[in-house]
């Protein structure tokens, strides 16, 4: 009987360890942005170009995230989860799918994924800001770089 208990415990420990390892692998996969062959901007360059009107900078995070950190100066908040995201983007660019559009999210993962999807949808000048608002391996991000932010309510007015 004790031998059977020891084997059962080993299998439980082995199964638990495998589940933990699989969880970490899935987490890491989700945090690795897909490669994006298009253009990239640092947060400083994105800020300068957005304020000067050279690029439409979209903050594609959620309203909860905008409330938490604010929206970068010059950025337009547009939640990427909206069902009518492409239509709203067409409206912002007056239907010009060759207009320069920069995408920023929290850490560069969602912006890289959406950059690929928008390129596939026919937008020809999508630019990723891989640092994001909070920083990533690409750099410190908008907030830690000390770039100006406004409240979400100010951004949508």
């Amino acid at each position: 009987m004790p031998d059977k208990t020891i084997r059962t415990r080993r299998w439980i420990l082995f199964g638990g360890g495998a589940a933990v390892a699989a969880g970490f692998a899935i987490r890491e996969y989700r945090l690795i942005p897909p490669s994006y062959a298009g253009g990239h901007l640092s947060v400083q360059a994105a800020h300068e170009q957005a304020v000067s009107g050279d690029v439409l900078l979209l903050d594609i995070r959620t309203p909860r995230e905008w409330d938490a950190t604010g929206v970068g100066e010059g950025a337009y908040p547009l939640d990427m989860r909206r069902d009518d995201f492409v239509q709203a983007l067409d409206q912002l660019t007056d239907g010009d799918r060759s207009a320069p559009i920069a995408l920023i999210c929290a850490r560069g993962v969602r912006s890289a994924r959406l950059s690929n999807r928008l390129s596939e949808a026919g937008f020809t000048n999508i630019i990723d800001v891989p640092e994001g608002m909070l920083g990533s391996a690409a750099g410190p991000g908008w907030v830690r770089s000390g770039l100006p932010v406004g409240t979400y309510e100010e951004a949508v007015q």
Side-chain angles (χ1 to χ4, degrees):
M1 188 68 99
D3 190 34
K4 187 176 183 181
T5 304
I6 291 173
R7 274 189 266 155
T8 303
R9 285 184 187 160
R10 285 183 187 155
W11 278 109
I12 290 172
L13 288 173
F14 175 75
V20 168
F24 277 116
I26 291 168
R27 179 183 178 274
E28 287 302 311
Y29 172 76
R30 292 186 65 214
L31 291 177
I32 297 171
S35 60
Y36 175 63
H40 294 87
L41 285 176
S42 68
V43 289
Q44 292 85 358
H47 174 248
E48 291 169 11
Q49 291 184 31
V51 169
S52 69
D54 293 334
V55 70
L56 171 63
L57 177 59
L58 294 180
D59 185 336
I60 62 168
R61 299 175 301 149
T62 65
R64 187 173 50 96
E65 292 173 291
W66 300 324
D67 285 337
T69 63
V71 176
E73 180 184 57
Y76 185 86
L78 185 62
D79 187 340
M80 71 178 282
R81 301 171 307 160
R82 285 178 52 165
D83 291 334
D84 66 338
F85 182 88
V86 172
Q87 292 84 356
L89 183 52
D90 273 332
Q91 210 170 28
L92 288 171
T93 60
D94 293 325
D96 181 5
R97 291 196 170 197
S98 65
I101 302 165
L103 304 177
I104 190 168
C105 64
R107 299 194 181 273
V109 176
R110 289 174 285 179
S111 62
R113 287 197 171 113
L114 187 57
S115 294
N116 284 326
R117 280 191 266 153
L118 290 175
S119 293
E120 291 168 4
F123 290 89
T124 60
N125 200 358
I126 301 296
I127 306 160
D128 185 23
V129 183
E131 291 178 54
M133 290 296 288
L134 303 177
S136 69
W142 192 287
V143 175
R144 286 198 351 222
S145 293
L147 294 170
V149 294
T151 63
Y152 170 50
E153 290 80 25
E154 291 172 348
V156 294
Q157 290 179 2

